[in-house]
Structure formats: C-alpha cells, structure tokens
Amino acid sequence: MRKAVADLHAELVRYNLVAWTAGNVSGRIPGEDLFVIKPSGVSYDELTPENMVVCDLDGNLVEGEHSPSSDTAAHAYVYRNMPDVGGVVHTHSTYASAWAARGEAIPCVLTAMADEFGGEIPIGPFALIGDDSIGQGIVETLKGHRSKAVLMRNHGVFSIGKDPKAAVKAAVMCEDVARTVHVARQLGEPLPIPQDDIDRLYDRYQNVYGQRSPR
Ligand SMILES: [Zn+2]
C-alpha cells in the first residue's frame, strides 16, 4: 500500500491536477484500522514507499519519519465513517475548483458523467481545516450519493473509491468533466440528460466494468 500510494501521486502530476504540494492520496490498509498517506510538504518527485506515513483512523501517526499531510484529519474521518471506502484523494484541480469557488454543482450533461458519477457532482459545505469539519462535509455530501467526488465550497475536490487507484480515477474524471462543462457554458447552456438515461448509463457502466459503488 505504501508503494501504491506513493506511485499514484505521479498520476496527480501527470494529469495536471496539482500545483506545488497541494494534493494528496491515501489508501486504507485492508483488514486494518490504518491508512497510508502522503507526508506533509514533501514534493511529488521525492515521494517513495519508505517516506509514506501510516496513520490510525483517528489520524494519529503510527509509522513514519515525517508528519502526515495536513489533510489527514479529513481522510481519517472518511475512513471512519465510510467503511467501504478504500482510497481518498484531494486536489485543488483548476476547473473543478472553479466550480467549487462558485458553489455550483457540475450538472450531468455528459454521458461520461452519467457513467462515472451517476449524476451531478455535488457541492459540499464551506469548511475550515483544523478539525473534523471538512471530513463531516465530505461524508454528509457523499453518503447515499452516487458521485465519488465532492466539490468542497471555496476549496477543491475530494474523491473516494474502493481503493486509492479508483479514487485517483474519480479525481481525474472530475477535472475532465469540470473543464468540458465549463467550456460548453462559454457558448450556451449545456443540455441536461434525462434521469432515466442517466440511470441506464450508470448501471451499464458499473456492470460492464465490474465495479460496484463504494457505498
Ligand atoms: Zn485543500
């Protein structure tokens, strides 16, 4: 899991989802009340399996020489309250964060959105770092929602998945559709997809790819 989480940070860079060190991936260790997360303030090209840190589900450091990411409390809250989630990703990716800055959910106007998110990508509450507010906002928004990503108002994206790779995929897809729908808006009003068709697309995609909703 240390290697998987360390390697997946390269995907955040590859897909242009992060600036400096502002983005992180974590992965639950199967069968344990522990997760692996990025160390705080270490640049992406210096991440190795060895310098990843291990935390318990209260966000306390269990193993590692660095302090954990400053977003650790939010990741820990998600793992505590969503037992089926095996991976969490946080980014400030540009287009998705622009929707978050306006406090506007991304409407489901692309079949790729219906496939991956099963509807709109919702907005979570404004929350400050430092306590469980961000984690609570993520869980309150995503529990019972098909979307694997939430746009935290005035902040950025948190995505979840059955494992860290699935959560990274959701973060990549979230930015991709945020950009396309933003561009579509420039020349007019994107057309909504009828709910019946969203349901059909979502069911088919989830079955074809053998993926179950993480919740
Ligand atoms: Zn952030």
Side-chain angles (χ1 to χ4, degrees), residues 105-161:
I106 306 173
C108 187
V109 293
L110 297 166
T111 56
M113 282 191 75
D115 288 346
E116 175 74 19
F117 300 101
E120 68 169 23
I121 299 178
I123 287 285
F126 178 76
L128 291 177
I129 200 161
D131 56 17
D132 277 340
S133 312
I134 294 176
Q136 282 169 4
I138 299 165
V139 170
E140 278 165 17
T141 310
L142 292 184
K143 243 189 183 168
H145 202 292
R146 285 174 178 171
S147 177
K148 299 172 192 76
V150 52
L151 309 173
M152 293 298 285
R153 191 162 75 78
N154 299 98
H155 183 176
V157 179
F158 280 86
S159 64
I160 57 174

Side-chain angles (χ1 to χ4, degrees), residues 22-24 70-71 90-92 129 134 155-158:
N24 39 70
S70 51
D71 294 306
H90 175 49
T91 80
H92 299 161
I129 200 161
I134 294 176
H155 183 176
V157 179
F158 280 86

Side-chain angles (χ1 to χ4, degrees), residues 1 5 8-9 12 23-28 35-38 57 69 71-82 84-91 134-135 138-139 142 148 150 157-171:
M1 187 53 76
V5 170
L8 281 165
H9 283 87
L12 304 186
N24 39 70
V25 179
S26 69
R28 189 196 293 268
F35 64 98
V36 174
I37 192 165
K38 179 184 175 292
L57 298 193
S69 161
D71 294 306
T72 296
H75 290 246
Y77 190 92
V78 173
Y79 290 123
R80 280 206 307 282
N81 290 280
M82 300 181 88
D84 294 336
V85 169
V88 177
V89 173
H90 175 49
T91 80
I134 294 176
I138 299 165
V139 170
L142 292 184
K148 299 172 192 76
V150 52
V157 179
F158 280 86
S159 64
I160 57 174
K162 63 180 176 11
D163 54 32
K165 188 177 180 187
V168 169
K169 182 192 176 196

